[in-house]
Amino acid sequence: MAGAGGDGETVRNKKVVLRRYVTGSLTVGDMEVITSAVRPRVPPGTPAPAVMVKNLYLSCDPWMRGRMTKHDDGDDVALATDFALGEAMVNYTVGKVVDSTHPGFAAGDLVWGMSGWEEYSLVTQPAETLHKINYPNLPLSYYTGVLGMTGLTAYAGLFEVGKAKSGDTVYVSAASGAVGQVVGRLAKIAGCYVVGSAGSDEKVALLKTRLGFDDAFNYKAEAGDLAGALRRRLPGGGGIDVYFDSVGGATLDAALLNMRLGGRVVVCGMISQYNLEEPEGVRNLVSVIAKRVRIEGFSVFDHFGAYARFEREMAGHLAEGKVAVVEDVVEGIDAAPGALVGMFSGRNTGKLSVAVAKE
Amino acid sequence: MAGAGGDGETVRNKKVVLRRYVTGSLTVGDMEVITSAVRPRVPPGTPAPAVMVKNLYLSCDPWMRGRMTKHDDGDDVALATDFALGEAMVNYTVGKVVDSTHPGFAAGDLVWGMSGWEEYSLVTQPAETLHKINYPNLPLSYYTGVLGMTGLTAYAGLFEVGKAKSGDTVYVSAASGAVGQVVGRLAKIAGCYVVGSAGSDEKVALLKTRLGFDDAFNYKAEAGDLAGALRRRLPGGGGIDVYFDSVGGATLDAALLNMRLGGRVVVCGMISQYNLEEPEGVRNLVSVIAKRVRIEGFSVFDHFGAYARFEREMAGHLAEGKVAVVEDVVEGIDAAPGALVGMFSGRNTGKLSVAVAKE
């Protein structure tokens, strides 16, 4: 067997661990990079078939924030269990199988899925948590983003929840972000008119040029009248058929005033609210009655069944050059805590990931 | 032809008119009862087939408030056009046809549908706006309520939008109100566990006894911790499958913290908000993501297609004594403005209507 470090050898295994549960804004000091060692093999005696993965890319995603706060046992609002203090944080990665006792995986396989924020991860239920990478000639980092959970989130939210169709007007907040840019491109490919908002003039320019949005605006510059800023950008004085919400708060309020009859608000995230101790109020919900608006929260975890179809379609779009990918790849696991903190203040443009190893 | 006042005679026609558009709380002085005269026949020269209706009951409904505020032309949040100042307000009534030039209606027919807050109304599109009363042996006032729009609202919201089914936990706010009590009964008949809230201990007692709710609470007495008050009343520590919302604001916030995975919030109304110049904020929307909650506004106007099925089912329930009806019938058209104002401060218990004439 070709364990990366040889059969008996141990290798360094840096891990990003959570030092303390977080209230309010996340800081770099809430995390720590610690160094341990690992023998890069599935340990003898591991009860069920497992794989040892060498992580190549770590995905940085907003939902990680929810797992960094301590929740009461009875509080099931969290998407998943809290991270354990002192252990590697858990999220999506791209990696290479370096050892396997599972019949479905072999050393050398490229995979993406749920493992640890560390250099090597033992994955004990690989069939449930890892996907083989079917398009290895595309950049592997895409599987943290446009071909991974980010892309599937955009696809499932826009089409399975939002029922977007040709001719619809789609509004996307956090539009230059990882999910937002994919939502915008998929909506354009489907024949929608797409308006985006983002937090700087540079991001707005990116939306209108490289990312191909029909129109876009800087929500910080328009904060005095967000609803009006949005309304002026809707074609024919019409409303929004699908609002893909990753922001919540005042942005959701502005969208609610502009929905078309029967419009859908797909709630993917509310990044404006996660770092607040007291959430903002959303004041315009009453408009859902007259407009028969549906607001629906969703989790990509319910939509794995669509992944194979999505991967095939998206790989096709990428091969045809229909989807421009804007990535922000940070080098080295030591930079991971700072990258994650920066994401919550909007420092990155496009899908943020950390390159841990080249192969 | 047997016009009520004879062929040539004119009769008194009192009308409740809106004197001025309303901001904030509705007052009796915003309306006026004026006296005019009418010849109770379809006037010669009326271009299309029409009917003259003698109104027996006027229905008082929360949605009327929205038509009493002046909306900008571009503001299509209103459910319908604004009432015209100085003309009879428009809403659902029960009446008797006293003259008809329409082949589908004859003098003597009992009907319910949209006409005016007046003693006699000329209805120019009767096939579109009036329904024949198929169960005239039940109290006619029921057609302003449990057998009319109120009942259809409850039925459509609970089943067509909320998808309530046997075993679900259903929470109903404004539960002793016209729609709320019907929602509760239909949910019980369907095999749901039903919790209600209302604004006085008397109403709570009514819910638990005559209206057959499984549990109920006084939201005013529990205002310090509405979410906890609700949680303590949910069976097995579980959540809410369907919240039928007629209130919005803090009540919606409390429900959002108690929704079950995949729960549905059916938004029928937000009576707590209509008289506010600035709506309250709803702070717990972020919970829709983890819980995959669907919040959907609806209007009964989209569900007329279900009426015949609903009327048959509900008449059956009533005949079997499965639905207790609590009504508040005010006598005389002169009392109509006061009755409507009282409804917005919770003065009535059960469906409020105004008896204008006995036959």
Side-chain angles (χ1 to χ4, degrees):
Chain A
M1 304 290 271
D7 258 18
E9 215 176 310
T10 64
V11 293
R12 184 190 72 185
N13 191 18
K14 284 193 180 183
K15 297 169 184 277
V16 182
V17 306
L18 187 65
R19 291 181 61 211
R20 56 188 173 227
Y21 290 111
V22 181
T23 313
S25 290
L26 178 68
T27 64
V28 168
D30 295 323
M31 293 166 275
E32 186 176 16
V33 180
I34 63 173
T35 300
S36 64
V38 67
R39 186 166 166 267
R41 297 288 306 274
V42 175
T46 301
V51 300
M52 180 64 73
V53 173
K54 182 181 185 188
N55 292 309
L56 305 178
Y57 291 92
L58 311 179
S59 182
C60 296
D61 297 292
W63 58 66
M64 299 176 73
R65 178 66 185 78
R67 305 184 68 176
M68 302 174 93
T69 294
K70 184 70 187 163
H71 292 89
D72 294 335
D73 286 348
D75 179 358
D76 53 0
V77 168
L79 278 165
T81 54
D82 307 325
F83 289 143
L85 296 185
E87 297 185 15
M89 303 198 302
V90 173
N91 197 32
Y92 289 91
T93 67
V94 171
K96 187 165 76 172
V97 174
V98 293
D99 190 29
S100 173
T101 58
H102 189 289
F105 296 87
D109 282 351
L110 291 166
V111 293
W112 75 272
M114 190 64 81
S115 71
W117 269 38
E118 56 194 344
E119 295 182 283
Y120 290 88
S121 297
L122 179 69
V123 179
T124 53
Q125 294 189 299
E128 286 72 41
T129 55
L130 298 180
H131 301 263
K132 293 236 195 128
I133 285 178
N134 291 315
Y135 297 87
N137 294 330
L138 292 169
L140 290 179
S141 58
Y142 283 12
Y143 280 88
T144 70
V146 67
L147 280 166
M149 292 298 276
T150 301
L152 183 60
T153 300
Y155 181 86
L158 186 63
F159 298 120
E160 302 211 341
V161 183
K163 308 292 184 197
K165 58 187 186 309
S166 181
D168 279 357
T169 295
V170 174
Y171 169 51
V172 189
S173 58
S176 69
V179 172
Q181 58 174 260
V182 182
V183 173
R185 289 310 306 157
L186 289 175
K188 281 304 298 174
I189 292 169
C192 303
Y193 189 91
V194 186
V195 177
S197 58
S200 74
D201 290 344
E202 292 69 27
K203 290 178 180 180
V204 168
L206 184 71
L207 290 171
K208 291 193 194 176
T209 55
R210 187 149 165 224
L211 294 173
F213 281 60
D214 292 297
D215 207 343
F217 62 98
N218 178 344
Y219 73 87
K220 290 178 181 168
E222 303 275 11
D225 180 18
L226 268 182
L230 184 48
R231 186 174 300 120
R232 286 192 299 277
R233 287 165 176 92
L234 301 174
I240 297 164
D241 296 291
V242 179
Y243 168 40
F244 194 103
D245 186 20
S246 298
V247 171
T251 303
L252 174 54
D253 251 339
L256 285 171
L257 290 182
N258 282 295
M259 296 305 292
R260 189 169 276 165
L261 195 72
R264 290 82 71 194
V265 176
V266 179
V267 187
C268 174
M270 292 195 175
I271 200 168
S272 70
Q273 307 297 298
Y274 299 152
N275 275 337
L276 302 178
E277 297 205 21
E278 283 290 325
E280 288 180 286
V282 171
R283 296 174 189 283
N284 298 323
L285 278 174
V286 72
S287 68
V288 306
I289 305 169
K291 297 291 192 65
R292 288 77 150 161
V293 167
R294 168 165 61 89
I295 302 175
E296 189 158 346
F298 83 106
S299 165
V300 66
F301 303 113
D302 298 335
H303 297 275
F304 279 120
Y307 182 73
R309 171 164 44 95
F310 158 73
E311 188 193 20
R312 192 171 57 244
E313 288 183 25
M314 181 58 88
H317 296 323
L318 289 164
E320 293 174 37
K322 287 184 178 170
V323 176
V325 178
V326 179
E327 293 185 297
D328 189 338
V329 181
V330 171
E331 286 295 324
I333 194 166
D334 293 313
L340 193 61
V341 169
M343 184 182 65
F344 286 103
S345 56
R347 206 182 301 156
N348 61 300
T349 300
K351 180 64 184 80
L352 182 66
S353 65
V354 179
V356 175
K358 291 298 173 203
E359 59 174 352
Chain B
M1 302 293 272
D7 258 19
E9 214 176 311
T10 65
V11 294
R12 185 192 72 186
N13 190 18
K14 285 193 179 181
K15 299 169 184 275
V16 182
V17 305
L18 187 65
R19 291 180 59 211
R20 57 188 172 226
Y21 290 110
V22 182
T23 312
S25 290
L26 179 68
T27 63
V28 168
D30 295 323
M31 293 165 276
E32 186 176 17
V33 180
I34 63 172
T35 301
S36 65
V38 67
R39 185 165 168 266
R41 296 289 306 273
V42 175
T46 300
V51 301
M52 180 63 73
V53 173
K54 182 181 186 189
N55 293 309
L56 305 178
Y57 292 94
L58 312 180
S59 182
C60 297
D61 297 290
W63 58 66
M64 298 174 75
R65 177 66 185 80
R67 305 184 67 176
M68 302 172 92
T69 294
K70 184 70 187 163
H71 294 89
D72 294 335
D73 285 347
D75 179 357
D76 52 359
V77 167
L79 278 163
T81 54
D82 307 325
F83 290 144
L85 295 185
E87 295 187 16
M89 303 198 303
V90 173
N91 197 32
Y92 290 91
T93 67
V94 171
K96 188 165 77 171
V97 173
V98 292
D99 189 30
S100 174
T101 57
H102 189 288
F105 296 87
D109 283 351
L110 291 166
V111 293
W112 75 273
M114 192 63 83
S115 71
W117 269 38
E118 56 194 344
E119 295 182 285
Y120 290 88
S121 297
L122 178 69
V123 179
T124 52
Q125 294 189 296
E128 287 72 39
T129 56
L130 298 180
H131 301 264
K132 291 234 194 128
I133 284 178
N134 292 314
Y135 298 87
N137 293 330
L138 292 168
L140 291 179
S141 59
Y142 284 11
Y143 280 89
T144 70
V146 66
L147 280 166
M149 292 299 276
T150 301
L152 183 61
T153 299
Y155 180 87
L158 187 62
F159 298 119
E160 304 212 341
V161 183
K163 308 291 184 196
K165 59 187 185 310
S166 181
D168 279 358
T169 294
V170 174
Y171 168 51
V172 189
S173 58
S176 70
V179 172
Q181 59 175 260
V182 183
V183 173
R185 289 311 306 156
L186 289 176
K188 282 304 298 173
I189 292 169
C192 303
Y193 188 91
V194 186
V195 177
S197 58
S200 75
D201 291 344
E202 292 69 26
K203 290 178 179 179
V204 168
L206 183 72
L207 290 172
K208 291 192 192 177
T209 54
R210 187 150 165 225
L211 294 173
F213 280 61
D214 292 297
D215 208 342
F217 63 98
N218 178 343
Y219 75 87
K220 289 179 182 168
E222 304 274 11
D225 181 17
L226 268 182
L230 183 50
R231 187 175 298 121
R232 287 192 298 278
R233 287 166 175 91
L234 301 174
I240 299 164
D241 296 291
V242 179
Y243 168 41
F244 195 102
D245 186 21
S246 298
V247 171
T251 303
L252 174 55
D253 251 339
L256 284 171
L257 290 181
N258 283 293
M259 297 305 292
R260 190 169 274 164
L261 195 71
R264 289 81 71 195
V265 176
V266 180
V267 187
C268 175
M270 293 197 174
I271 199 168
S272 70
Q273 307 297 300
Y274 298 152
N275 275 338
L276 303 178
E277 297 206 21
E278 283 291 324
E280 287 179 287
V282 171
R283 297 176 188 281
N284 299 323
L285 278 174
V286 72
S287 68
V288 306
I289 304 169
K291 297 293 192 63
R292 288 78 150 161
V293 167
R294 168 165 61 90
I295 302 174
E296 189 158 345
F298 82 105
S299 165
V300 66
F301 303 114
D302 298 334
H303 297 275
F304 279 121
Y307 182 73
R309 171 164 46 94
F310 158 74
E311 186 192 23
R312 191 172 58 244
E313 289 183 25
M314 181 57 89
H317 296 324
L318 289 164
E320 294 173 36
K322 287 183 177 170
V323 176
V325 178
V326 179
E327 293 184 298
D328 189 339
V329 181
V330 172
E331 287 293 324
I333 195 167
D334 293 313
L340 192 63
V341 169
M343 183 181 66
F344 286 102
S345 56
R347 207 182 299 156
N348 59 303
T349 300
K351 180 63 184 80
L352 182 66
S353 64
V354 179
V356 176
K358 291 298 175 200
E359 59 174 352

